[in-house]
Amino acid sequence: METIQKEFLGEKFSYTTEVDEDGKGLWTNTIDNDFSKWLHQLRIDNRELFKVQYSVSENAYKVLEKLKERIGVFDDSLLVRAITITFINFIDTRAGRLILNKLNACIAAGGLDILQEGDTLKKSLYFSPVGIRDVEAYANLTGFKRSKVVKNALYSVLLISINSDKEIKKFWEEEILEQLTTIVKAA
Amino acid sequence: MNALEEIVDDLQFLDKLIIIYEQGELDFWGDRVNPPNLSKDEFDLVLYRIDRADSLKWIARESQKGPHGKTGEDDCFKFNCSAEFGGIFENETKNYFVKGYFFDKDDLKGVAIQSFREE
């Protein structure tokens, strides 16, 4: 058994585990639970580590406002968190690949331009311990900064929400809206 | 045949791996510096972005480390895969290597991921 230090959000989580011949540490469900508890405590001790700043244009924010009305949520942060998690775990996966490919064609034709118009608003939100694990993993895999992870998710989802393509509209109405509503109501 | 074995009985390898990963036990070997092994959180995201297991091979397992090292299947699977990341920014495809084995032999309970790294 050896003690391993895992770096996360600039802090160190220590755990004792079995190490194999190649120096890899065994990550078990028990260690995962301990890590979650450590993260909860870290959020209590230093909430700022869980903060992500992002920017949004005035036009994109208007679309977000309409979405807030439709879902029945008043808090920007709550909805943007739900959008980010839904994007990472559902839309940008095999399940949403065809839709994202269609969206790319729309972006290539200038579809994103209208969303990017207007002054830039600076915003920030705080992720939960579970949410920050998804954001960090996605950021590590893509090389994106956390702010870019949120922006990618937010603009992609807003663009999907106003798209008139029949297939994208169906995906939005039947899949994404339901997931966003569920996450927001559970919060 | 136990319940998990019945669920995955007729499935292709990748679908079988996903179901066992979701519903079974997991031993994940991570946090190695050189060559760097990616984490379980990262494996969670990559697994749902891959379409197929390329160059899938079964090789005799050498390591008996871990809680299921002695009871796991004799052969390890290893494969390469590609995962696409998209959105409003340019899509990017990344390549990964995965190696592991199912356990226990003759009584399927879960999967051990021994290696997961970017190629």
Side-chain angles (χ1 to χ4, degrees), chain A residues 97-148:
Chain A
R97 183 58 49 212
L98 284 176
I99 299 304
L100 285 186
N101 288 343
K102 277 194 161 222
L103 202 66
N104 285 341
C106 159
I107 291 167
L112 190 59
D113 297 350
I114 193 163
L115 264 191
Q116 290 182 318
E117 284 174 10
D119 290 341
T120 301
L121 309 171
K122 299 279 185 195
K123 299 271 180 184
S124 64
L125 57 83
Y126 294 88
F127 278 97
S128 67
V130 175
I132 204 75
R133 286 180 71 169
D134 284 339
V135 171
E136 280 290 299
Y138 192 89
N140 288 340
L141 291 169
T142 57
F144 288 0
K145 287 184 175 173
R146 290 192 289 175
S147 57
K148 193 172 174 181

Side-chain angles (χ1 to χ4, degrees), chain B residues 48-99:
Chain B
Y48 297 100
R49 285 168 170 80
I50 59 179
D51 293 319
R52 61 182 189 274
D54 294 324
S55 313
L56 174 63
K57 282 185 184 147
W58 293 90
I59 55 167
R61 185 160 60 88
E62 292 172 2
S63 175
Q64 292 206 328
K65 288 267 186 178
H68 301 95
K70 288 188 169 54
T71 57
E73 291 186 353
D74 295 332
D75 289 339
C76 292
F77 55 77
K78 64 174 190 176
F79 62 91
N80 297 93
C81 58
S82 300
E84 195 175 345
F85 296 89
I88 61 160
F89 300 109
E90 198 172 330
N91 282 14
E92 193 170 4
T93 301
K94 290 180 178 277
N95 301 312
Y96 300 94
F97 170 76
V98 180
K99 183 180 159 204

Side-chain angles (χ1 to χ4, degrees), chain A residues 161-176:
Chain A
S161 77
I162 57 171
N163 204 286
S164 56
D165 177 274
K166 206 174 158 184
E167 214 172 338
I168 295 179
K169 229 176 166 53
K170 188 168 185 279
F171 187 70
W172 167 251
E173 296 283 346
E174 295 179 6
E175 307 270 359
I176 306 175

Side-chain angles (χ1 to χ4, degrees), chain A residues 15 24 27 88 92 133, chain B residues 28 31 41 49 84 114:
Chain A
Y15 64 99
K24 288 172 288 190
W27 185 266
I88 290 174
D92 188 21
R133 286 180 71 169
Chain B
F28 191 94
D31 280 322
D41 287 354
R49 285 168 170 80
E84 195 175 345
Q114 298 170 291

Side-chain angles (χ1 to χ4, degrees), chain A residues 73-87:
Chain A
V73 56
F74 301 101
D75 181 9
D76 290 351
S77 301
L78 186 56
L79 184 53
V80 176
R81 277 202 303 268
I83 284 172
T84 306
I85 298 310
T86 301
F87 179 81

